[in-house]
């Protein structure tokens, strides 16, 4: 599975494997599969394919504490049995197709011991196998339609069913990838719930489309109803928390109202949280975030998690967190610093922050952020770079913020180098934000002849920064001066 192309997906924060394993064990469907695996014995009979024989489904339902007389009981038992078989919690011996035996046998599988005695990672591997089974089931259409689509030879007529197995699996993978991205954007183990129409629209409406047509809105409504059914199936395995579409709403609303209600409907701004939730709400659980990340990584997608750089060097850390949002970058750097001797860690970070390459300014900004919470124990490492042309300005800022005495004043060249470096880092981190013009205005207002000095700075990003000032500075006259200075800076480097 894969989301839309991203250089690097936003990193996510996950609970420990032990916490996730505990969540897996209490997921209703997985817990039922475990109970049936323990229930299986000499008297258990299975059909070809490993399914429980129909006559034993009421007994299996009773073993799960369900009402055998309720049609949902045997259905839930059948689903749990499939999960138990597919995960190896149960071993089945199927009957020979041409043999005399009417049924096969089943017994607890070797992997059942991992539930109580395995490491958290082993429990999670079992849960991931169960998730694969549930996702495959969720991509299958309504069974009544499936029966109607059987041809005379017993094969499924996919054209009549209007169902393409790979297309359906890809659709569900895409939905879960989008939900993962929405969750990861919050940089938490689980984000807030997402309205179902928003998720459906993300799969149907092209990004460059203006007002959706009636036909597109009908597609969104259809997708929303498919997702309503699929998320009902995915919730019991612990992947999502889901509030289904209000059945009364489905009776009242037409396709356009369903598709646009909480998104673009005429009264969307007047909807309160309760109104929005009637259209269906879903969010990944922490276990679900773990599961979708694992599937993405298996498919070759880079999906980082906060804390995975803790055993890497400072150069790998700074290179990676330059692609992270600020909150996730700060969390990753805090994890990296834990357990390291502060002065040694500070020296490693400062060394890794050096460089005249395009990524240098943002590495230095991340280094500065990493050292911001540090105490006086790192002061010797910071003082050691006071004369460094790339790090001296950073060091002076760190020392000045702590009121340290006897900090040598920077010369003019270092002031302008640090100014260029700071703006280049902000541009790399956040792009052309609304705050940057204010910063630029303040710099030029407090430095007479700013551009006469700035274009001479040997910083490799000088021309780039001056061009940005020419675009963003709120004063037209000053912006023109910036563009002239940028031309001089570029000419100087030719």
């Amino acid at each position: 599975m894969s989301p839309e192309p991203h250089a690097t997906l936003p990193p996510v924060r996950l609970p420990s494997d032990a916490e996730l394993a505990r969540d897996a064990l209490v997921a209703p469907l997985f817990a039922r599969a475990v109970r049936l695996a323990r229930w299986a014995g000499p008297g258990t009979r299975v059909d070809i394919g490993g399914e429980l024989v129909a006559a034993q489904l009421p007994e299996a339902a009773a073993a799960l504490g369900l009402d055998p007389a309720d049609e949902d009981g045997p259905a839930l038992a059948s689903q749990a049995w499939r999960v138990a078989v597919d995960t190896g919690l149960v071993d089945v011996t199927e009957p020979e197709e041409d043999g005399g035996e009417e049924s096969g046998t089943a017994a607890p599988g070797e992997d059942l011991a991992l539930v109580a005695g395995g490491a958290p990672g082993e429990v999670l591997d079992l849960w991931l196998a169960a998730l694969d089974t549930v996702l495959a089931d969720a991509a299958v259409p309504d069974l009544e339609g499936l029966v109607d689509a059987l041809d005379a030879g017993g094969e499924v007529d996919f054209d009549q069913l209007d169902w393409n197995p790979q297309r359906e699996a890809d659709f569900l993978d895409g939905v879960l990838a989008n939900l993962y991205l929405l969750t990861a954007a919050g940089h938490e183990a689980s984000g807030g719930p997402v309205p179902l129409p928003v998720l459906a629209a993300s799969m149907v409406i092209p990004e460059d489309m203006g007002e959706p047509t009636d036909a597109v809105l009908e597609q969104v409504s259809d997708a929303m109803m498919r997702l309503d059914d699929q998320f009902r199936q995915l919730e019991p395995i612990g992947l999502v928390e889901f509030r289904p579409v209000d059945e009364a709403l489905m009776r009242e609303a037409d396709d356009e109202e369903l598709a646009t209600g909480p998104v673009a409907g005429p009264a969307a701004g007047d909807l309160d949280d309760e109104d929005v939730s009637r259209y269906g709400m879903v969010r990944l659980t922490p276990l679900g975030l773990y599961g979708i990340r694992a599937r993405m990584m298996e498919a070759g997608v880079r999906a980082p998690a906060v804390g995975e750089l803790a055993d890497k060097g400072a150069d790998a850390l700074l290179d990676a967190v330059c692609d992270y949002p600020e909150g996730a970058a700060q969390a990753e750097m805090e994890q990296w610093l834990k357990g390291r001797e502060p002065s040694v860690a500070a020296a490693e970070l400062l060394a890794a922050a050096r460089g005249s390459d395009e990524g240098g300014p943002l590495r230095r900004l991340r280094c500065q952020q990493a050292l911001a919470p540090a105490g006086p124990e790192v002061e010797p490492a910071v003082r050691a770079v006071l004369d460094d042309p790339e790090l001296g300005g950073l060091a002076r800022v760190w020392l000045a913020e702590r009121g340290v005495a006897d900090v040598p004043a920077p010369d003019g060249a270092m002031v302008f180098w640090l100014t260029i470096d700071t703006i280049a880092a902000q541009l790399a981190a956040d792009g052309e934000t609304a705050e940057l013009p204010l910063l630029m205005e303040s710099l030029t207002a407090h430095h007479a002849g700013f551009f006469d000095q700035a274009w001479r700075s040997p910083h490799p990003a000088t021309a780039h920064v001056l061009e940005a000032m020419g675009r963003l500075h709120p004063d037209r006259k000053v912006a023109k001066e910036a563009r002239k200075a940028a031309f001089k800076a570029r000419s100087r480097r030719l």
Side-chain angles (χ1 to χ4, degrees):
M1 65 185 300
S2 65
E4 292 299 311
H6 280 259
T8 302
L9 289 178
V12 294
R13 302 185 195 184
L14 293 171
S16 68
D17 280 2
E19 293 174 279
L20 291 169
R22 285 195 290 271
D23 289 345
L25 291 173
V26 299
L29 179 52
F30 190 77
R32 288 197 290 267
V34 171
R35 289 179 68 179
L36 284 187
R38 291 170 175 158
W39 164 81
T44 308
R45 294 290 177 263
V46 298
D47 285 327
I48 292 174
E51 296 280 352
L52 275 176
V53 297
Q56 284 204 306
L57 286 175
E59 184 182 346
L64 294 175
L66 303 171
D67 183 359
D70 186 334
E71 65 178 15
D72 286 342
L76 291 172
S78 177
Q79 182 189 33
W81 182 261
R82 285 198 304 277
V83 169
V85 171
D86 289 349
T87 56
L89 295 173
V90 168
D91 285 337
V92 297
T93 302
E94 298 181 37
E96 297 289 340
E97 290 192 35
D98 300 326
E101 295 183 356
E102 294 184 0
S103 60
T105 60
E110 289 185 7
D111 287 345
L112 180 60
L114 298 176
V115 172
E122 293 173 313
V123 173
L124 289 172
D125 285 343
L126 290 174
W127 180 84
L128 286 172
L131 176 62
D132 286 342
T133 296
V134 176
L135 288 172
D137 287 348
V140 175
D142 182 88
L143 289 179
E144 292 182 6
L146 192 61
V147 170
D148 293 339
L150 290 175
D151 61 23
E155 298 293 327
V156 177
D157 183 349
F158 290 119
D159 290 334
Q160 178 184 336
L161 192 60
D162 190 25
W163 176 61
N164 180 296
Q166 189 58 52
R167 183 184 64 201
E168 290 298 320
D170 289 345
F171 174 82
L172 186 53
D173 277 348
V175 167
L176 293 174
N178 283 354
L179 188 55
Y180 181 94
L181 284 170
L182 289 168
T183 305
H187 323 306
E188 298 295 338
S190 56
V194 178
L196 215 54
V198 172
L199 204 52
S202 74
M203 297 298 297
V204 174
I205 301 178
E207 290 185 5
D208 57 355
M209 176 175 279
E211 188 71 21
T213 64
D214 290 344
V216 169
L217 290 176
E218 185 175 350
Q219 291 178 45
V220 173
S221 179
D222 290 343
M224 183 176 150
M225 292 299 96
R226 284 161 64 194
L227 292 176
D228 182 72
D229 177 64
Q230 289 171 328
F231 284 129
R232 289 173 191 260
Q233 297 178 65
L234 296 177
E235 187 174 34
I237 198 61
L239 187 77
V240 296
E241 290 181 3
F242 180 55
R243 176 166 178 172
V245 178
D246 189 326
E247 293 186 5
L249 180 68
M250 287 191 281
R251 291 192 296 269
E252 299 164 2
D254 59 25
D255 285 339
E256 181 174 355
E257 290 172 321
L258 278 177
T260 65
V263 185
D270 298 328
L271 294 174
D272 59 24
D273 289 346
E274 182 61 28
D275 290 329
V276 171
S277 67
R278 294 187 69 202
Y279 291 84
M281 304 287 286
V282 63
R283 76 172 182 87
L284 286 174
T285 64
L287 182 63
L289 195 63
Y290 166 85
I292 300 306
R293 176 175 178 263
R295 288 172 59 82
M296 284 185 167
M297 292 175 67
E298 185 177 352
V301 179
R302 183 160 180 257
V306 171
E308 66 183 9
L309 297 172
D311 60 347
K312 306 296 183 184
D315 52 350
L317 171 74
L318 292 185
D319 282 342
V321 297
C322 284
D323 291 327
Y324 289 9
E326 186 170 333
Q330 193 65 46
E332 186 67 66
M333 293 185 294
E334 289 172 2
Q335 290 285 326
W336 187 88
L337 286 167
K338 284 182 180 178
R340 282 180 164 80
E341 203 284 313
S343 61
V344 174
E348 291 177 1
L349 286 168
L350 289 164
R354 288 191 180 95
S356 59
D357 57 293
E358 186 177 342
L362 187 49
R363 280 202 308 278
R364 285 183 281 277
L365 175 61
R366 294 293 188 237
C367 175
Q368 185 175 359
Q369 292 168 337
L371 294 178
E377 62 272 14
V378 308
E379 183 176 331
V382 175
R383 282 187 176 275
V385 299
L386 280 170
D387 295 330
D388 188 294
E390 295 181 357
L391 303 176
L394 180 158
R396 284 168 172 79
V397 170
W398 190 92
L399 292 167
E401 287 176 345
R402 284 151 184 78
V404 176
D406 69 350
V407 179
D411 59 24
M414 182 173 286
V415 169
F416 281 96
W417 199 96
L418 179 60
T419 300
I420 297 294
D421 202 57
T422 300
I423 297 177
Q426 294 294 336
L427 286 168
D430 303 313
E432 297 181 356
T433 62
E435 291 78 14
L436 263 182
L438 301 177
L439 171 62
M440 295 170 178
E441 186 175 32
S442 175
L443 285 170
T444 54
H446 290 86
H447 291 83
F450 177 87
F451 296 111
D452 288 337
Q453 296 296 320
W455 73 266
R456 293 181 169 86
S457 173
H459 196 294
T462 296
H464 172 63
V465 167
L466 292 174
E467 286 172 349
M469 295 182 77
R471 291 192 304 274
L472 301 176
H473 200 288
D475 187 305
R476 282 185 162 184
K477 182 179 178 181
V478 178
K480 185 176 181 180
E481 290 180 41
R483 291 193 292 273
K484 289 181 179 179
F487 177 78
K488 291 180 182 179
R490 289 225 179 269
S491 300
R492 183 171 182 260
R493 296 183 66 85
L494 293 177

